[in-house]
Amino acid sequence: ESCRKAFFGAPEETYWHSVQSYFYEASYHQLKIEGEVTKCFTLDQTNSYYASKGTAMVNSIVETIYKALFTGDNPTYKLEDFDANGDGVIDSIYMIQEHDYAEGFNWAYTTWHRNGLKKIEQLGTYAWSSIQFMTKKGSLSSPDSHTYIHETGHLLGLNDYYDYFNNSNAPTGASVMQAHNICDHDPFSKYLFGWVSPKIITDKNTESSITVELKPFESSGDVVLLATDYNDTAFDEYLMIEYYTPTGINANDVNQVYEGTAGLNGTGVKVWHV
C-alpha cells in the first residue's frame, strides 16, 4: 500500500505528490503515468550477497522478476499492457527493496538491462531504490516520493542536472527536479518532452520590437526561446526565459528544506543557457 501511494496515490495520500500526480501536474495534464504494484518477491540470496557482487547483480534480479511476472503458461501480466509505444520492450520496471539506502548497493539509480548474449530483449530501462526513501520527509503511511520522481525522470530519458565531480557547482541552481530532487522540471526538459511550445525568436525575426507576456511557468508552460541559426529542435544552443514563481508544484520545496536545499523563494525571470 505504501508503494501504491508513493507511485499512484492522490497528493493527499502522500507527503507532497505521488509519481503519478507530480508528472500529471508538471506536464500540464498531458502525461499520466500508470502501472501496477506487484506482489513482493523474496530472492534466493541475502542483500549482503548481492551487494558483494556489485550493482550488476540487479540485472539478474530484474530478470527474475520479469520471468516470474511476464512468462510461463499463465503469466501475471501481458507485455503489451506495459508497452505504450509498441516496440516490444517493457516501458520500465521500478524495483523497491527494503534495505538501508545508506548502503551503496541500495542507493537510488536508473539504468538499462544488459546481460551479454543472454540479454532479455523485452527488458529496457529500470530503476532501483530503497523503500526508506519514502521516509526522508514523509512516512510509510504518507510517503515522500521525491527520489522516485527524480528517478522516473531518468526512466523518461533525462540526465542528472548537477556536477558529478564538484558538489559546489550547481549548473541549474540546484532547485529543479533533476538536480536536487525538488520543485518543478525546467523548461529545457519540458521542451524535450513536448510539454511546452516556446515562443521562438531568432535572427530570422524582422520585427522592430517584440513584446511577450509570460505567465508563471509552473502553471502555464509559457517560455521564450532566443537563438541564432536555430535548427528547430531542443538539441541546439539557445536561451530560454521563464517567469518563475514559488507557487504550485514549487511551493512545498520552497517552504520545506529537502536534503539541505530549498526552492527559490522569490518571483522573477529565469534565463537558462542551453
Side-chain angles (χ1 to χ4, degrees):
E1 180 63 11
S2 297
C3 286
R4 183 200 66 78
K5 290 179 180 179
F7 281 84
F8 307 113
E12 57 268 22
E13 294 182 282
T14 73
Y15 164 75
W16 172 44
H17 270 292
S18 68
V19 172
Q20 182 186 79
S21 68
Y22 175 90
F23 279 97
Y24 190 63
E25 291 303 316
S27 69
Y28 312 103
H29 301 175
Q30 296 174 77
L31 174 64
K32 186 176 182 181
I33 294 175
E34 296 182 330
E36 292 281 342
V37 179
T38 73
K39 65 180 182 180
C40 291
F41 286 86
T42 300
L43 300 172
D44 294 335
Q45 302 292 338
T46 65
N47 184 70
S48 297
Y49 169 84
Y50 290 113
S52 71
K53 302 295 183 181
T55 55
M57 283 301 299
V58 182
N59 261 332
S60 298
I61 294 171
V62 75
E63 288 175 7
T64 299
I65 292 171
Y66 168 78
K67 290 173 183 176
L69 295 177
F70 287 91
T71 64
D73 295 332
N74 187 27
T76 305
Y77 302 117
K78 296 179 180 179
L79 184 148
E80 54 265 31
D81 292 335
F82 298 89
D83 179 17
N85 63 353
D87 65 352
V89 178
I90 295 170
D91 294 327
S92 65
I93 293 177
Y94 204 126
M95 292 173 286
I96 303 294
Q97 40 77 18
E98 296 182 332
H99 293 273
D100 186 354
Y101 64 72
E103 301 175 25
F105 178 68
N106 300 316
W107 192 247
Y109 69 92
T110 300
T111 187
W112 57 94
H113 177 65
R114 53 203 185 280
N115 194 27
L117 296 176
K118 295 182 180 180
K119 179 177 178 180
I120 297 174
E121 297 299 331
Q122 293 83 359
L123 287 173
T125 57
Y126 63 83
W128 169 265
S129 304
S130 170
I131 197 171
Q132 290 188 2
F133 284 108
M134 293 186 194
T135 60
K136 274 197 168 186
K137 298 292 284 188
S139 65
L140 292 182
S141 61
S142 183
D144 173 11
S145 298
H146 280 87
T147 296
Y148 311 132
I149 293 167
H150 174 96
E151 295 303 325
T152 300
H154 291 319
L155 289 172
L156 291 170
L158 298 180
N159 289 333
D160 283 315
Y161 294 163
Y162 55 84
D163 189 331
Y164 288 143
F165 306 103
N166 188 339
N167 288 334
S168 65
N169 285 342
T172 54
S175 58
V176 294
M177 179 50 64
Q178 291 309 116
H180 283 202
N181 299 17
I182 61 172
C183 295
D184 198 4
H185 277 295
D186 58 280
F188 169 66
S189 297
K190 294 192 182 191
Y191 188 28
L192 285 177
F193 287 147
W195 297 344
V196 299
S197 298
K199 168 67 174 179
I200 298 173
I201 302 173
T202 73
D203 49 342
K204 295 180 181 179
N205 284 80
T206 59
E207 300 92 328
S208 58
S209 65
I210 298 174
T211 301
V212 179
E213 179 181 321
L214 290 175
K215 298 176 182 177
F217 178 72
E218 61 83 12
S219 60
S220 72
D222 285 358
V223 63
V224 174
L225 187 154
L226 300 178
T228 58
D229 196 26
Y230 181 54
N231 69 9
D232 294 319
T233 77
F235 298 102
D236 200 351
E237 183 175 8
Y238 46 84
L239 300 179
M240 299 190 91
I241 303 174
E242 65 162 300
Y243 176 46
Y244 169 83
T245 57
T247 56
I249 205 167
N250 293 315
N252 178 82
D253 292 328
V254 168
N255 297 314
Q256 301 286 334
V257 174
Y258 180 83
E259 292 291 282
T261 305
L264 294 173
N265 189 11
T267 296
V269 172
K270 280 187 179 181
V271 182
W272 300 85
H273 180 192
V274 179

